[in-house]
């Protein structure tokens, strides 16, 4: 996928994000809790992408600024610094573009649903019970690290 297509999509997302912010600043939105909740959820879903897009734009403008410095070639030291920084920025841009592509993959509609998991000791006596306890602790710590409620 060419990044220009993705950039257009990100512009649309940022535009929608700004629309949501404007709608949330309207006091009448608080009168309808369902609408406010929907706007808040949509905003939180877009926020990380918008931040990444802003970071991408910043890196790209720094890259272009350094490119101009390299083309002017007035001071060899500054040119070398700009060239070195552009190498770093290129890597950051590539990594960020990959992250953005992954985040643009549509979410599964079932992702927002809760899950119920039952862990029981099977046959095997005490060892099976210990394993089930360890497995539960592992899932509990993972859920805590993800900010999920148990």
């Amino acid at each position: 996928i060419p990044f220009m297509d993705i950039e257009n999509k990100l512009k649309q997302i940022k535009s929608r994000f700004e629309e949501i912010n404007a709608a949330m600043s309207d006091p009448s939105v608080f009168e309808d809790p369902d609408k406010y909740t929907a706007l808040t959820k949509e905003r939180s879903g877009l926020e990380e992408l918008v931040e990444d897009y802003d970071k991408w734009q910043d890196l790209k403008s720094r890259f272009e600024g350094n490119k101009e410095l390299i083309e002017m070639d007035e001071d060899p030291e500054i040119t070398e610094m700009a060239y070195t920084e552009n190498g770093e920025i290129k890597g950051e841009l590539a990594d960020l573009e990959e992250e953005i592509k992954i985040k643009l993959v549509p979410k599964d509609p079932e992702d927002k649903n809760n899950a119920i998991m039952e862990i029981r000791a099977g046959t095997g006596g005490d060892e099976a019970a210990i394993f089930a306890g360890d497995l539960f602790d592992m899932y509990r710590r993972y859920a805590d690290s993800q900010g999920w409620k148990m």
Side-chain angles (χ1 to χ4, degrees), residues 20 23-26 28-42:
I20 292 169
M24 288 178 69
S25 65
D26 182 11
S28 66
V29 81
F30 296 108
E31 295 169 10
D32 184 358
D34 293 335
K35 183 177 181 182
Y36 179 74
T37 303
L39 285 172
T40 305
K41 283 183 180 181
E42 186 178 357

Side-chain angles (χ1 to χ4, degrees), residues 69-80:
L69 284 174
I70 292 168
E71 289 171 4
M72 287 193 288
D73 197 22
E74 293 175 358
D75 183 0
E77 194 172 307
I78 291 176
T79 302
E80 180 63 31

Side-chain angles (χ1 to χ4, degrees), residues 4-87:
M4 293 317 259
D5 293 342
I6 294 173
E7 187 175 4
N8 290 335
K9 179 72 174 165
L10 289 171
K11 283 179 185 175
Q12 292 172 352
I13 289 171
K14 185 168 183 170
S15 173
R16 177 63 185 148
F17 183 76
E18 289 167 355
E19 287 174 17
I20 292 169
N21 282 340
M24 288 178 69
S25 65
D26 182 11
S28 66
V29 81
F30 296 108
E31 295 169 10
D32 184 358
D34 293 335
K35 183 177 181 182
Y36 179 74
T37 303
L39 285 172
T40 305
K41 283 183 180 181
E42 186 178 357
R43 183 186 184 282
S44 68
L46 300 177
E47 189 170 16
E48 198 173 332
L49 260 174
V50 169
E51 288 171 2
D52 285 347
Y53 178 56
D54 289 342
K55 184 178 177 184
W56 181 81
Q57 284 182 313
D58 178 55
L59 286 172
K60 195 168 179 184
S61 68
R62 284 176 39 206
F63 184 82
E64 294 300 321
N66 285 342
K67 203 167 154 183
E68 288 176 20
L69 284 174
I70 292 168
E71 289 171 4
M72 287 193 288
D73 197 22
E74 293 175 358
D75 183 0
E77 194 172 307
I78 291 176
T79 302
E80 180 63 31
M81 285 173 47
Y83 188 76
T84 304
E85 187 178 356
N86 265 7

Side-chain angles (χ1 to χ4, degrees), residues 45 56 60 92 100 122 131 143:
W56 181 81
K60 195 168 179 184
E92 286 182 53
I100 289 172
F131 176 75

